[in-house]
Every structure is written in C-alpha cells, then in structure tokens.
Amino acid sequence: MTKFGIIAGAVILLAGLLAAEKKESLKGILATKPFLSGLFILAAAISPHPVPFYYVPVLWGLICCFMGDICLIFFFNRRVFTLGLVIFLAGHLFYTAAFFMAGGITCGTWISLLAVVPVSGVIYLKLKPYLGEMKGPVIAYMIVISLMVTGAGTLAGCPDFRITGRALVLFGAVVFYISDLFVARHRFVRKSVINRYVGLPLYNTAQFALAFSPGFLN
C-alpha cells in the first residue's frame, strides 16, 4: 500500500469512527479504531528508515499506541482505562527515547522544557479536582508526555537532520499533546462528542506525522 492509500484509508476509517462515536456505538468503534491505529504501524513500515536507532523505538511507540487505543475503547472501565494509560505511557517513553537518541541535547531541549513545564502544571491544576484516585497515573502520564515534547524539541534543534523530518517530529509531538487534553476532558471533566470530533483528528494527524517522520530525517 502506498502512502496515499494509507492516508485515504485513514480518512475513511476516521469518518466511520467519528460517526460511531456520535452514536456511542461500541461495535462501530471496534470496527474502525483498531484498523485505523494499525495504519500507523503500516505507515512506518513502508517508509524509508535510514536512521535505525530512531526508527526502531518509534515503531515500538506506534505498536504501544495501537494496543493503548484498543484499551481506551473501553474507557468506561477504570481498570482497562488505566491499563491503556500505562501502555500509552510506554509508547511515549519509546518516542522520547527515539528523539533524545537521535538529537542528544540541544538548545531546543531547554526552550521546549521551559515552554511545556508551566503549561503542564496549569493543566494538572485544572484537572486535579476531577481526578480522584487517578491523580497518580495522570501525574505520571503528564510527566512522560511532557518529556516527549521536550525530546521532540531536542530533535527539532539538531541540525544533523533534514528540516522536514525535524518539523514532522515537533509537529507530531505537540499535536499529540493537545489531543490528549481532549481525552482527559472527555474522561474526567465532561463527556462530549465534541471532545472526540476535535481530539481524534488531532491524535491521528500526530501519529501519522510521527509514523512518516523516519523517512524524512535524512
């Protein structure tokens, strides 16, 4: 399958997923979301990967997100939702490892760290009244995804790689971070199909940016 075919298939599946979310159809979600997430892995697999120490952890990150997506289908079950958070956390750690292994420490590290830490702090304070027993897992998740964005900033500031690839990495990480805000809002603050209509397109865009990024680094 070509990149165009993957993107076209993703658009169709995303439309079906959004329709299923609106109807709150578990069958519809199960019929679309796993296949849509599977396309992330396929997108990475068909892309050139001239930097193996970047590509391999990114691929594992995509695999973890695929498994996490399946768990989050059952968001109404706290145990399964928590398992999904743990798996996604592992995926973010793989992404973070890829970014730092490729980029090292650059000026982008400190710029992104200074930007993301206060933002994450404010977001946590906004969510805190709604979290209950989930405070610990959410804190851990926010720390890890903040590190992921910092790692993306690190790679974005590394001149050893093509600007296109670096831009895809930074774009993907930031959009992923934003999409997670809508997941948190839906789970903890207010359940609304609007969270899905905004968050899911952002999430899928971010994942495809990261999945295609190995082919654009060199």
Side-chain angles (χ1 to χ4, degrees), residues 12-217:
I12 293 169
L13 286 169
L14 178 59
L17 176 58
L18 292 174
E21 290 283 358
K22 182 177 181 180
K23 296 177 182 178
E24 297 186 341
S25 169
L26 183 59
K27 289 182 178 179
I29 295 170
L30 285 169
T32 52
K33 193 171 187 179
F35 297 100
L36 179 56
S37 298
L39 288 180
F40 306 152
I41 301 170
L42 182 59
I46 69 164
S47 296
H49 34 273
V51 187
F53 57 84
Y54 174 79
Y55 169 74
V56 172
V58 165
L59 181 61
W60 276 108
L62 293 166
I63 292 170
C64 286
C65 289
F66 168 78
M67 294 187 292
D69 272 336
I70 294 174
C71 289
L72 294 187
I73 291 173
F74 306 97
F75 67 90
F76 45 82
N77 184 306
R78 190 176 69 182
R79 290 184 179 179
V80 177
F81 182 84
T82 302
L83 177 62
L85 280 180
V86 171
I87 296 173
F88 262 108
L89 185 145
H92 290 321
L93 287 174
F94 278 117
Y95 288 147
T96 303
F99 301 156
F100 277 109
M101 284 193 297
I105 301 295
T106 68
C107 63
T109 308
W110 311 114
I111 294 171
S112 55
L113 191 62
L114 288 172
V116 76
V117 167
V119 171
S120 293
V122 170
I123 291 169
Y124 174 72
L125 290 176
K126 294 286 187 181
L127 288 175
K128 186 177 178 181
Y130 305 96
L131 297 180
E133 296 178 359
M134 292 294 290
K135 287 187 179 72
V138 170
I139 289 173
Y141 189 88
M142 292 192 71
I143 289 172
V144 172
I145 196 169
S146 297
L147 283 173
M148 187 188 83
V149 174
T150 303
T154 290
L155 186 53
C158 181
D160 296 338
F161 301 104
R162 286 171 54 192
I163 185 65
T164 306
R166 289 184 282 146
L168 273 177
V169 169
L170 184 60
F171 172 79
V174 171
V175 174
F176 204 143
Y177 183 98
I178 296 170
S179 74
D180 274 344
L181 299 181
F182 290 92
V183 175
R185 185 175 185 270
H186 190 82
R187 175 64 177 82
F188 298 115
V189 181
R190 183 182 178 187
K191 183 180 177 182
S192 169
V193 72
I194 298 300
N195 296 321
R196 300 306 200 198
Y197 279 178
V198 178
L200 284 171
L202 290 175
Y203 168 73
N204 284 277
T205 298
Q207 288 284 44
F208 279 114
L210 296 176
F212 285 124
S213 67
F216 291 92
L217 283 182

